[in-house]
Amino acid sequence: MSSTARIALNRPIRQLFDYTVPVELQLQPGQRVHVPFGRQKITGIVVETGSKPPAGITLKPVSYALEDWPALPAETFRLLSWASDYYQHPLGECLFTALPPALRRGQPAEEKPEICWRATSASPELPANAHKQKALLTLLQEHPEGLATSAITKSGYTQQQLKSLAGKGLAESLIRKPEPASHTADSDVTTGPTLSPAQENAAEQLVEGENGFNPCLLFGITGSGKTEIYLDYLKKNLARDKQALVLVPEINLTPQTVARFQRYFGARIAVWHSALNDRERLETWLKIRNGEPIILIGTRSAALLPFTQLSAIIVDEEHDSSYKQGDGFRYSARDVAVYRAHLNHCPIILGSATPSLESLNNAKQGKYKLVRLEERAKNAAPPSLSLLDIRSRPLEGGLSRPAISAIQQALNKGEQALVFVNRRGFAPVMMCFDCGHTVECPRCDTRLTYHRRDRAMRCHHCDYQTAATEACPECQSEAFKPVGQGTERTEDILGEAFPDTPVVRVDRDSTQRKGSIQAILKQVNKGEPCILVGTQMLAKGHDFPNVTLVVVVNADGGLFSVDFRAPEQLIQTLLQVSGRAGRGAKPGEVLIQTCHSDHPLLKALCRGNYLEITDQLLAERESGLLPPFRAMAILRAEGNTMEQSLQFLDSVKPMTQRPGIETWGPLPALIARRADRHRAQLIINSGTRKSLNHLLRQICHHLDLAATRGKVRWMIDVDPLETG
Ligand code: ADP
Ligand code: ZN
Ligand code: ZN
């Protein structure tokens, strides 16, 4: 009798599929196979072999194996199986997340040679106006060894222009095999600065108790030189034949970080982020899977890749919310990384100037070792923070007089200023001062944001947009004006107030084009006086030595939010953005505009003691029965009407009524209607992780069987970051 195998497919269903295995096939878990599914043939991943299928069913056979080794080796397979259960997400989709797109589609796990181009010896006869083609030809002539197609298109040329050169006999293609990774010899690698005594001290504590699972929380203030410590740690502790994973929140925003790693480790550095193309993903994935001794610097999904020689993990800015996936497989890359270090018996360093309450609590409980770095590298002093009460001050574009004159002073001294606005666009709303009308999104319960640059009104919660109007669409009044602050409006006001100084805006709109953030950083790092205006993007890890002043336009958004994480996130953002001031030789100053200058949280922030604040917040979480003292999950429902969604959750609620579990809701979500779906949620809180996990498993099982499909979409978010 032939054996059977249980296969996971890349489908959002909590079900595995049984197939028979032809005798000549030896299958093992994690291996890619081709299987018939309905009338299609699709790629699957072996989960189990020798399983006993239900009697009386005729199984179809596995067609063939895509390779004779498991694409997902044992440790990665265990990690993903654990994550599937922890986050209650279908195993198939979890497993496929660890494959590059080409392998998900069933393509072979090997690098295809890439087509290269070079100039021929023919003498160019191009029309005088063919500037682009001439430039391309010059580019090719500068690279007689040949240039890969991808490199050419990245430089701004099209396949069409290439073909047209080739058609004229001026360029020819050749096939080049991918070059084997060359590993930089030690002599090519520069050494960084000598560690300061404080850094040295921290570095020593990280190594103590080495070998085995050894989680450390490196709490180092902004500019304290944490990156230097990571580099030093890897240099001293990572064997030449081993792999390391360095997770960062966003790579494109901080190209400096990758450059610093490359200076130390040369070709051992590889990167993983969303801007890679399919070929680059496959190439890097193969290196990781083949156990090449690389150090991977990557964003969220890098935590799931099939390392086989992983022996150190670093999570930089561990508090950053971008580590949590917001839809689909809602995992936290930080938490997955910690579990992975545990599976691999390897050390993990979680670094931040503003550690999350979760990690601080783990440190308090002795699960993580707390390592502190309390002074800035290069003798820079921490910035001084002060509150600027704007209750009865006239504002221009959100900026008060004292803030404007502080900016003027910084510029006079030849320094740079950074203005932090928490919203992109021109203004959050357009309001009619005659009838009070504001423009709402027709598909969501939100107002549209006014973007003046392209005269559009946009919804930041769905993709709706419409043209902006001059007059009130309701009463035709001309008194239809922007209210509140967005980055564009602040940029305008600053441009008027400081006509001779460059004003540089950094937000999702201004950095959409590839390479634009690099250009912006380059300009700022020239060090000449300028004003940076931007959103959270500016708070992340940048090292601008000549920024000495930070102005926070309005700090009050997070003070009275219903989301229990809002105060933590507000403090972290304010400290991170403050940390951009005074990183060089000159001291930094931070002005925080607020209408609540007596708010205890803001006052504590100015005293500069992060742990004092987090102790307070932790105490509030504990008495409020909130994470990290309870394990939380949210069951979300999206129906065609609110009634449908609430009814659905009401029908689940009785399952949750058991000792040790509290439920809140069901209640409409904060934005109750989004893209025309009516959203409600049931918050489930448990005293133990285990009982929460057990309950969620039962709920999923129950709902998978229930015939509610199609009417109400539901999803589970474990350890949710947003509870609104
Ligand atoms: P963090 O990541 O903690 O915010 P960085 O690692 O970016 O800090 O360091 C801040 C700045 O200090 C960087 O410009 C870095 O090159 C510099 N730096 C770090 N350590 C040292 C050192 N030991 N000697 C001199 N400069 C240092
Ligand atoms: Zn009106
Ligand atoms: Zn919308």
Side-chain angles (χ1 to χ4, degrees), residues 230-250:
Y230 305 148
L231 290 165
D232 176 78
Y233 181 87
L234 293 176
K235 203 169 54 164
K236 291 189 183 136
N237 299 290
L238 186 69
R240 302 177 64 107
D241 57 344
K242 295 291 183 190
Q243 299 173 322
L245 167 65
V246 181
L247 285 177
V248 294
E250 252 155 309

Side-chain angles (χ1 to χ4, degrees), residues 416-420 453 487 490-492 494-495 501-507 510-511 516-525 528-535 538 544:
Q416 299 171 332
L418 187 161
V419 178
F420 176 71
R453 296 280 176 279
T487 43
T490 310
E491 181 190 15
D492 280 5
L494 288 167
T501 308
V503 177
V504 185
R505 177 163 58 93
V506 181
D507 58 24
S510 76
T511 55
S516 50
I517 183 83
Q518 276 82 352
I520 289 171
L521 296 178
K522 206 166 156 192
Q523 176 178 359
V524 177
N525 284 327
E528 282 155 27
C530 74
I531 306 170
L532 280 150
V533 184
T535 54
L538 275 180
F544 304 127

Side-chain angles (χ1 to χ4, degrees), residues 441-444 446 448 459-464 675:
C441 175
R443 310 176 61 215
C444 307
T446 53
L448 299 179
C459 175
H460 286 190
H461 299 277
C462 71
D463 52 6
Y464 181 82

Side-chain angles (χ1 to χ4, degrees), residues 192-196 199 220-230 257 260 316-317 353 373 376-378 541-543 545 579-580 583:
T194 332
L195 294 189
S196 68
Q199 284 171 314
I221 62 169
T222 52
S224 59
K226 291 184 290 295
T227 313
E228 219 54 60
I229 293 196
Y230 305 148
T257 306
R260 276 164 81 183
D316 191 24
E317 313 290 1
L373 201 50
R376 281 187 156 183
K378 301 192 288 193
H542 301 286
D543 197 21
R580 302 314 118 205
R583 292 169 72 92

Side-chain angles (χ1 to χ4, degrees), residues 59-306:
L59 299 179
K60 290 181 182 164
V62 169
S63 310
Y64 55 91
L66 281 133
E67 48 266 325
D68 54 14
W69 42 271
L72 303 176
E75 179 264 348
T76 310
F77 189 83
R78 268 184 75 186
L79 178 78
L80 295 164
S81 306
W82 166 83
S84 162
D85 181 54
Y86 184 96
Y87 293 105
Q88 289 301 318
H89 194 76
L91 180 62
E93 284 196 336
C94 295
L95 295 176
F96 273 83
T97 320
L99 294 180
L103 299 196
R104 285 178 212 164
R105 292 194 299 263
Q107 287 171 13
E110 60 193 38
E111 286 176 65
K112 268 197 239 134
E114 190 174 15
I115 296 191
C116 290
W117 296 84
R118 68 178 173 204
T120 61
S121 49
S123 53
E125 264 177 51
L126 285 168
N129 60 355
H131 302 296
K132 220 42 201 187
Q133 286 188 38
K134 278 185 187 164
L136 174 55
L137 188 60
T138 313
L139 178 74
L140 294 178
Q141 281 161 345
E142 284 163 8
H143 295 270
E145 75 287 359
L147 257 187
T149 313
S150 59
I152 294 169
T153 49
K154 265 189 191 158
S155 316
Y157 300 96
T158 60
Q159 301 256 14
Q160 198 48 46
Q161 286 157 348
L162 263 175
K163 287 208 181 101
S164 135
L165 275 189
K168 297 185 177 99
L170 295 172
E172 63 185 0
S173 62
L174 41 139
I175 286 176
R176 186 169 66 182
K177 270 224 139 65
E179 285 159 27
S182 61
H183 291 286
T184 317
D186 281 352
S187 58
D188 294 349
V189 171
T190 55
T191 46
T194 332
L195 294 189
S196 68
Q199 284 171 314
E200 198 69 63
N201 181 347
E204 276 163 23
Q205 293 182 55
L206 292 175
V207 200
E208 279 168 24
E210 66 199 294
N211 294 332
F213 181 52
N214 177 29
C216 288
L217 178 59
L218 176 61
F219 170 32
I221 62 169
T222 52
S224 59
K226 291 184 290 295
T227 313
E228 219 54 60
I229 293 196
Y230 305 148
L231 290 165
D232 176 78
Y233 181 87
L234 293 176
K235 203 169 54 164
K236 291 189 183 136
N237 299 290
L238 186 69
R240 302 177 64 107
D241 57 344
K242 295 291 183 190
Q243 299 173 322
L245 167 65
V246 181
L247 285 177
V248 294
E250 252 155 309
I251 277 191
N252 296 330
L253 294 182
T254 50
Q256 304 159 341
T257 306
V258 177
R260 276 164 81 183
F261 272 83
Q262 273 164 342
R263 241 172 282 140
Y264 264 107
F265 294 106
R268 256 185 107 168
I269 301 300
V271 294
W272 185 267
H273 53 84
S274 58
L276 297 184
N277 64 31
D278 285 5
R279 172 193 294 277
E280 292 163 326
R281 276 170 202 269
L282 177 60
E283 194 185 321
T284 304
W285 188 93
L286 285 168
K287 283 187 194 164
I288 293 166
R289 175 62 187 89
N290 291 338
E292 287 184 32
I294 62 177
I295 297 172
L296 185 74
I297 306 179
T299 50
R300 191 169 56 218
S301 62
L304 307 173
L305 293 172

